[in-house]
Amino acid sequence: MMIKNKYHSFLTMSKNGALAWEDLFTALGNFVPVYVQYSNLCLNFFEWELPVENQQLNSDFIERLLFYKGRCAIINDKTRGLMVVDFQNIGGWSNIFGYPTKIQARDIFDYNKVIGEYENDNFVVITNNKMWYPTNITVLKYSIDISDMLDAINLNVESQKSPIILQAADEKQKLTIEQIADKIEIGERYIFAKSDFRPESQISSLNIAAPYVADRLNDLQQKKTAELLTALGINNENINKQSGITPDEVNANNGLIKLNFDTMLIPRQEACDELKRKFNIDVWCDVKDFNTVGLSLFNNNESEV
């Protein structure tokens, strides 16, 4: 008769299997905080001025759709009024700029739920950038790279604790080595041995510790973080400071930061102008005033360069 295992499979797996799970948890422990940190930064990057009385026009809804999908729409429904929606193009109808002229609006929490179909006069498309590219893809890619480097740093630091392997000629020598090692461990000042003890000829050793490269890996991780911040349009001079950097290099990097920032801000402000024109509402989008040290925007540091 087959006896059902009453223990969870994780508790009965082999040591190698358990170590594989431990490696997975360690990897996620580095990836998740990095991804969440920069995702939250992106989701709180812009500040929207929207009609307060309309709860369906929520800046959180707008930024989440732009972050994950690269586009969203604000529709003017006859019964529900103005609201933020996800959408799909109907029949491939679009203008000369590639924007749809007729959409099928979908619920932002349930994509399979159709709200209705709307003509060009009753909706405005908001894009994350001119390519409708989600910021999530960039953050995800760099978060994987950065977390891989953090994994390597942790592994390299851990490997410094690897023991030295000592090989004795016989059991008697092995016991002698163990006794000496114990005395070293407890910090004895003097260790006495018999006159016939010849460690240079009777003992061989193997140092299996990996070379220490965590400092170089950390520099590489800092550079990768600076690349991510540049892609997001955030000043990163304090993260990637190097001796001998020239003012021209600083200006070139700040110029790229400003360009990347504008690729996200300009489409939002253009959508605001269209919302004013179509629906006659007071709406605007601008960057939030960050007070976080080290994450100040290019505009706030332009005069210091």
Side-chain angles (χ1 to χ4, degrees), residues 148-164:
D148 282 346
M149 294 171 193
L150 292 174
D151 291 340
I153 291 172
N154 292 340
L155 183 61
N156 186 248
V157 172
E158 188 71 21
S159 68
Q160 304 308 304
K161 298 188 291 183
S162 299
I164 296 175

Side-chain angles (χ1 to χ4, degrees), residues 3 11 30 50 101 107 114 137 146 198 226 228 253 284 300:
I3 301 176
L11 301 177
N30 284 323
L50 299 165
T101 56
D107 190 274
V114 177
I137 298 177
I146 293 171
R198 298 286 185 271
L228 170 59
N253 186 62
W284 190 242
N300 294 338

Side-chain angles (χ1 to χ4, degrees), residues 49 60 82 96 112 135 162 235 237 240 254 263 272 278:
E49 296 178 10
D60 288 342
L82 297 172
I96 59 174
N112 295 320
T135 312
S162 299
N235 195 327
E237 284 181 58
N240 199 22
N254 285 344
T263 60
C272 289
K278 281 188 177 182

Side-chain angles (χ1 to χ4, degrees), residues 106-107 109-115:
R106 294 177 176 266
D107 190 274
F109 299 108
D110 183 5
Y111 187 74
N112 295 320
K113 181 180 178 181
V114 177
I115 297 175

